[in-house]
Amino acid sequence: MSEIRRKGMRIHFSMAAMAAIAGFLVLQARPAVADDSYDVAADRDRRAAKARGELGARTSVTTVEGVFVLIGPPGFQGAGFDQSVALVRNAMAGYLNGRFDRKPSEAISVYLFPNAQGYERFCKARYGAPCIAHYGFYHPADRSMVMNAGLGLGTLTHELVHPLVESDFPRAPTWLNEGIASVFEQPVIPRPGEIHGAKNWRHPRLRRALTSAEKEHARLDVLFGMADETFRDDAEDLHYAMARYVCQWLDERGKLWPFYRRWRDTVAVDPTGEKAFEAVLGMTPAAANTPWTKWVLTI
């Protein structure tokens, strides 16, 4: 991804992803800690009122987990909006069940538009410019997610992860943050309180690297200690695919969340996560590369 610094906030965007399939953008910045005067209920009410002022009095508003204010404008009522609300509720039930311990303390508006026309019209009115991504984006400066829900809801379950990571593991590196989020671009929710990910469009890029001269750059252990700026360099599409499938491989073995939580809790003495990985997996990241590679090439 490219990076722009604006008024102290880092803005990251993937030109490769927008030009290809991803089509969504995450504007990443660490959230400010709410002061003692912050009132989440009042903020939710303010966001609902603002949405109705922007989109019309018939706009649907539902709150999930006390902080995610889902907004369905006229034209995205009934079954479509209800399906989105149900997905967020089911995803959050999984995310907060033995995975993330903390959720955001401040309200976040989630705008769900049924088509590109409404989505683009909103961006021009709110931000004075066209939407910066095809599918949707998360804007931490005003704590808003804006989605073209007509293209599918995988971006929504991806974007929900980012404020959770920011709240629960603020020192997480970009590769872990994006790796976990990318797993849930193709969510599988087999029962209440469970959420996993299935193979998706990022797999061919990783497979191509692992069966070519790029394979030494596509090793599992390359991610450990990878700087955020490196993750977002010219090989960003490969780094996304690596991070995504490392996290899915760990999740399928019941190791993703034990690893995540151990690293989160020991990051001060284990900044790269290698010690946490070895403690949970019983092998180093370098040793895990062989079984991980075999798994990637057979799924």
Side-chain angles (χ1 to χ4, degrees):
M1 286 190 179
S2 301
E3 179 178 282
I4 297 173
R5 293 189 181 273
R6 184 177 299 165
K7 294 182 180 179
M9 182 180 71
R10 290 186 303 164
I11 299 179
H12 300 294
F13 60 97
S14 172
M15 300 304 294
M18 287 192 289
I21 302 173
F24 61 83
L25 182 66
V26 184
L27 306 183
Q28 293 180 314
R30 297 305 182 201
V33 177
D35 61 36
D36 291 341
S37 65
Y38 177 76
D39 184 334
V40 67
D43 193 11
R44 290 197 307 261
D45 291 344
R46 181 185 65 79
R47 288 171 182 274
K50 182 175 183 178
R52 291 189 172 111
E54 293 169 320
L55 303 172
R58 293 190 298 110
T59 297
S60 296
V61 179
T62 298
T63 300
V64 177
E65 287 295 334
V67 291
F68 293 99
V69 182
L70 274 63
I71 298 158
F76 196 59
Q77 311 287 319
F81 183 68
D82 291 346
Q83 180 184 15
S84 301
V85 171
L87 177 62
V88 173
R89 284 181 174 148
N90 289 331
M92 289 302 298
Y95 290 153
L96 296 175
N97 180 26
R99 293 169 176 86
F100 300 106
D101 288 339
R102 288 174 289 276
K103 64 184 179 184
S105 59
E106 298 178 82
I108 296 172
S109 301
V110 182
Y111 290 86
L112 299 164
F113 292 93
N115 52 47
Q117 291 81 5
Y119 174 62
E120 290 291 344
R121 187 164 53 245
F122 177 82
C123 289
K124 290 176 182 177
R126 167 69 74 87
Y127 303 112
C131 293
I132 46 182
H134 188 54
Y135 282 77
F137 57 92
Y138 169 45
H139 197 297
D142 60 6
R143 301 197 309 279
S144 294
M145 296 182 190
V146 186
M147 308 286 166
N148 180 356
L151 296 176
L153 296 175
T155 302
L156 178 55
T157 46
H158 172 120
E159 298 296 347
L160 286 171
V161 168
H162 292 305
L164 289 167
V165 171
E166 288 173 349
S167 299
D168 193 59
F169 188 0
R171 292 180 61 178
T174 295
W175 81 257
L176 184 67
N177 191 341
E178 294 293 353
I180 293 173
S182 296
V183 169
F184 302 111
E185 292 164 350
Q186 190 73 30
V188 176
I189 303 174
R191 63 187 65 84
E194 284 295 313
I195 186 166
H196 303 283
K199 184 171 75 172
N200 75 343
W201 59 269
R202 296 189 192 274
H203 185 259
R205 177 65 182 96
L206 180 55
R207 184 181 179 87
R208 187 165 68 250
L210 290 173
T211 55
S212 72
E214 280 189 292
K215 64 183 178 182
E216 288 305 309
H217 301 289
R219 294 178 54 87
L220 181 152
D221 50 307
V222 167
L223 290 170
F224 287 79
M226 180 179 283
D228 293 352
E229 293 76 13
T230 302
F231 183 87
R232 301 188 185 284
D233 68 12
D234 290 342
E236 181 194 41
D237 60 339
L238 174 58
H239 297 154
Y240 258 93
M242 292 163 61
R244 197 255 188 219
Y245 284 97
V246 166
C247 289
Q248 184 176 334
W249 179 74
L250 290 169
D251 191 45
E252 289 193 5
R253 283 148 185 77
K255 302 296 186 180
L256 174 59
W257 299 103
F259 163 62
Y260 164 89
R261 293 157 76 90
R262 188 179 184 97
W263 189 5
R264 179 198 64 192
D265 295 344
T266 62
V267 66
V269 296
D270 182 21
T272 68
E274 291 173 275
K275 294 177 182 177
F277 185 93
E278 186 172 3
V280 171
L281 273 294
M283 66 181 96
T284 65
N289 182 66
T290 296
W292 173 71
T293 299
K294 289 180 179 177
W295 172 81
V296 170
L297 294 177
T298 57
I299 61 173

